[in-house]
Amino acid sequence: MKLVACALVIACTADATPARSPVRSPIPDGAAELVTAIVDDWSSTTATLQLWHRDRGSGWQPVGEPWPAVIGAKGAAWGDGLHGHGAPSGQHGPIKHEGDQASPAGAFAFRAAYGYAAQAPQGTHLPYTPSDGLECVDDPSSSHYAQITRPARDGGDWKSAEHMKRGDALYTWVIDIAHNPDHIRGDGSCIFLHVWNGPGSTTVGCTAMDEAKLASLVATLEPTAVYVLLPRAVYHSLASAWNLPGDRLPP
């Protein structure tokens, strides 16, 4: 009888503990392009980027050589994207919020491209809009928070916004990263790939790089491409679950 009772206790205990759901990759099955941005740690302000193409037979393959970029002055922090809201289950690290000068970490879709030129680079597949007259709203109280819009059309119910046509070259080309796609107030806004001010510069939350390299990305990326920014140790811990290319990263 004692053996039967023990068996029942063990069975009940096992049933009472729900099995953990396996971590699913945030990268859609249909995504054939990936841009990875690897930083040394959460406080790093420099990144190494790499473009990848997924071949169904041999998986992710690098396209060209890696290149340098810079990120937020305060490093990186978990953002809102394809991976969900903030840090994925089992992960730790800072959480991004508006004005923290940190670049969002995680996996993200690309929305569109913008630029000072009337036309996009030849071959561009992302939706392209000339930047003149556009603003990106960073005021959490606005109904247009975390959106790129035209004040004359949408009423301008915001107190602060970024002009997409700047007086410098930083937004010559811009790729809009779909961070905070649900426009949750205070979670962060206006996150782009844009032109840097040199390898020693930083941003207020974007990822910036050489103009020629960015123009090449604008002309290359498909609308289904995905952007992944992670600290190196976190990247390696998620590489298998997220189906990331983990064997060709810089040491």
Side-chain angles (χ1 to χ4, degrees):
M1 290 297 293
K2 288 184 179 180
L3 291 175
V4 173
C6 288
L8 288 173
V9 169
I10 293 171
C12 290
T13 302
D15 290 341
T17 304
R20 282 191 174 184
S21 299
V23 177
R24 299 184 63 182
S25 173
I27 301 175
D29 290 340
E33 286 180 310
L34 175 69
V35 178
T36 55
I38 308 301
V39 297
D40 286 339
D41 53 46
W42 290 109
S43 63
S44 295
T45 60
T46 58
T48 299
L49 272 61
Q50 176 70 58
L51 175 64
W52 306 83
H53 184 271
R54 178 154 55 183
D55 181 271
R56 292 302 176 186
S58 54
W60 293 110
Q61 300 296 320
V63 179
E65 297 297 320
W67 70 94
V70 296
I71 65 166
K74 299 299 183 181
W78 286 111
D80 300 347
L82 296 171
H83 62 282
H85 173 81
S89 176
Q91 294 294 325
H92 304 281
I95 304 297
K96 180 163 179 59
H97 57 82
E98 185 66 49
D100 63 0
Q101 298 188 40
S103 294
F108 308 92
F110 291 114
R111 279 190 279 242
Y114 300 85
Y116 298 168
Q119 302 292 330
Q122 186 175 2
T124 298
H125 299 286
L126 291 169
Y128 178 81
T129 304
S131 301
D132 195 29
L134 294 175
E135 295 184 4
C136 185
V137 180
D138 55 14
D139 177 4
S141 67
S142 170
S143 61
H144 300 285
Y145 176 62
Q147 299 177 49
I148 296 174
T149 184
R150 293 187 187 275
R153 182 189 67 192
D154 294 326
D157 68 335
W158 51 87
K159 297 177 182 178
S160 63
E162 286 197 47
H163 293 284
M164 299 300 292
K165 183 71 176 286
R166 296 169 54 106
D168 56 30
L170 296 188
Y171 284 6
T172 300
W173 303 110
V174 166
I175 301 178
D176 184 19
I177 298 172
H179 167 256
N180 194 10
D182 296 325
H183 313 295
I184 299 172
R185 296 187 177 189
D187 277 17
S189 60
C190 308
I191 302 300
F192 309 132
L193 301 183
H194 68 73
V195 179
W196 67 5
N197 202 22
S201 63
T202 58
T203 73
V204 293
C206 297
T207 299
M209 66 198 74
D210 177 76
E211 179 184 343
K213 189 61 192 181
L214 182 55
S216 175
L217 277 184
V218 172
T220 298
L221 293 178
E222 299 285 345
T224 56
V226 175
Y227 179 63
V228 171
L229 187 156
L230 292 170
R232 190 180 312 279
V234 178
Y235 185 102
H236 284 295
S237 73
L238 290 172
S240 177
W242 283 19
N243 193 24
L244 297 170
D247 58 342
R248 294 183 180 88
L249 292 179

